[in-house]
Amino acid sequence: MGTVSHHSHSGSFCSHAKGTLEEVVLEAIKQGFSTFGLSEHVPRYRVQDLYPEEEELGLEHLSTTFEAYLVEAWRLKELYASQITLLVGIETEFINLDGLDELEKLLHKHTGKIQYLVGSVHHCHERPIDFDKERFDATLDTFAGSEDERFEQLFSAYFDAQFTLLQRLRPEVVGHFDLCRLYYPTRDFKAFPAVWSKIERNIQFAVSYGALFEINSSAFRKGWNTAYPGSDVFQTIVSLGGRFTLSDDSHGPQAVGLHYDKAYKYMGTQELAELWQLKESKGADVARGVVVEKVSGKPWLDSWPALLS
């Protein structure tokens, strides 16, 4: 089998990505992916939550763009079915509880068309933390106290939001688990016992309902020396019985499979014993449209790196 990814975006439906969704799919085929998950962002519901490149587009545009994404994703899924398995999913947002209510309505509306969720959090205190460092630092400054105290409060808020998201939606894939230290990757969660307790709580809950934790190679293009999650969280997921999958979190064809060479090495240094992927299923007991399947062998150590040459 070829390599896999469960998290991707395109310029067709994401303002900060490049290329068309079909170009992304064709690049995945070219690189020998066997399973490739499509996971455009869900729309946001308040004007104040729009990113700068979206402000002129407006809320209605985001909504219609999302509807168009589902149509195009299913067209491509059928068109290229003989060459690649495409899974049609979405990446979540959690800004506030009202937004989660709207997301649940969206999922109900499109029952049968959304096969899986990448459960991600990109905000704290209703402010974005991954758009740029300036906005991250501005969010950090909304908390009181010393620098360490502010980081502790931001991390706590992030993992509490993640826990709420996991409880409400039970996403099949947990997205970039430790995104909250994006611009400060050397920050040690264990320096904050209360934060570390929340991390263990979230992992245990996700494990309890069968979620997969993504090894997300996009951290390397953000300047990290590891994928998401970092080694401390990675090893804790292992110790608590968590299962991993792999994602490139590509934002256009130019980023499909980007830094998978580093991801494979990271998986090797972490002594990953097994990897899992999502597989399409229409069984009566299937929550959305996929089940979990173990990847045979350890192809990240041999056959998948060979695809890069």
Side-chain angles (χ1 to χ4, degrees):
M1 64 171 288
T3 191
V4 302
S5 177
H6 293 77
H7 186 166
S8 67
H9 304 277
S10 74
S12 295
F13 306 106
C14 174
S15 296
H16 58 272
K18 298 179 180 179
T20 67
L21 188 59
E22 187 162 12
E23 288 171 341
V24 169
V25 170
L26 289 172
E27 182 61 28
I29 293 171
K30 178 182 176 182
Q31 292 190 28
F33 281 77
S34 57
T35 297
F36 195 81
L38 310 178
S39 59
E40 299 287 10
H41 292 283
V42 297
R44 272 151 280 113
Y45 302 97
R46 303 187 307 176
V47 171
Q48 60 263 44
D49 297 325
L50 297 178
Y51 291 119
E53 71 269 18
E54 299 169 334
E55 290 174 355
E56 293 185 0
L57 301 177
L59 295 175
E60 184 176 351
H61 176 84
L62 290 188
S63 180
T64 56
T65 296
F66 179 79
E67 300 288 333
Y69 156 65
L70 291 179
V71 173
E72 176 67 353
W74 280 92
R75 184 187 76 85
L76 296 173
K77 176 179 175 62
E78 295 171 4
L79 180 63
Y80 294 106
S82 64
Q83 300 177 67
I84 192 171
T85 297
L86 297 177
L87 300 175
V88 180
I90 61 171
E91 184 178 15
T92 69
E93 298 282 358
F94 178 27
I95 301 174
N96 56 33
L97 292 174
D98 288 342
L100 272 190
D101 292 340
E102 293 296 330
L103 178 49
E104 287 182 329
K105 293 176 185 176
L106 187 76
L107 294 173
H108 179 73
K109 176 182 178 182
H110 295 291
T111 298
K113 291 296 184 181
I114 297 172
Q115 296 181 293
Y116 76 102
L117 309 183
V118 177
S120 300
V121 175
H122 306 94
H123 294 72
C124 283
H125 268 193
E126 303 188 10
R127 292 169 172 260
I129 60 169
D130 72 330
F131 187 82
D132 56 32
K133 187 175 180 296
E134 179 183 2
R135 285 173 174 79
F136 181 98
D137 289 341
T139 302
L140 186 65
D141 287 341
T142 66
F143 298 93
S146 67
E147 182 177 84
D148 280 350
E149 288 170 337
R150 285 183 284 123
F151 268 106
E152 181 174 19
Q153 292 172 76
L154 185 147
F155 291 158
S156 290
Y158 174 86
F159 288 115
D160 282 343
Q162 185 183 70
F163 187 55
T164 299
L165 178 76
L166 295 175
Q167 288 181 306
R168 287 276 296 268
L169 301 180
R170 299 197 171 206
E172 288 77 6
V173 176
V174 181
H176 36 59
F177 188 96
D178 50 351
L179 182 73
C180 58
R181 57 180 174 184
L182 168 59
Y183 299 105
Y184 300 90
T186 60
R187 273 282 167 176
D188 182 7
F189 289 137
K190 292 184 179 179
F192 310 113
V195 170
W196 192 250
S197 177
K198 294 175 190 289
I199 289 172
E200 292 179 323
R201 172 200 64 191
N202 292 10
I203 294 171
Q204 289 168 337
F205 182 78
V207 169
S208 74
Y209 74 82
L212 300 180
F213 299 84
E214 67 172 5
I215 299 168
N216 185 321
S217 68
S218 72
F220 292 109
R221 63 180 167 84
K222 301 294 181 67
W224 283 36
N225 295 321
T226 72
Y228 304 117
S231 180
D232 51 352
V233 174
F234 191 111
Q235 290 303 320
T236 301
I237 292 171
V238 171
S239 70
L240 293 175
R243 299 179 296 185
F244 286 100
T245 192
L246 179 63
S247 298
D248 61 16
D249 197 356
S250 52
H251 281 63
Q254 80 289 345
V256 171
L258 186 63
H259 296 310
Y260 262 26
D261 54 339
K262 296 178 181 179
Y264 297 149
K265 290 178 182 177
Y266 181 57
M267 294 156 73
T269 59
Q270 294 301 309
E271 300 182 347
L272 182 66
E274 57 188 28
L275 191 73
W276 299 76
Q277 65 175 353
L278 298 179
K279 178 182 178 181
E280 190 170 28
S281 177
K282 297 180 180 179
D285 59 342
V286 176
R288 292 189 178 94
V290 294
V291 293
V292 172
E293 178 182 67
K294 186 178 178 180
V295 172
S296 178
K298 296 182 179 180
W300 57 93
L301 297 179
D302 43 55
S303 61
W304 287 354
L307 292 171
L308 300 172
S309 59

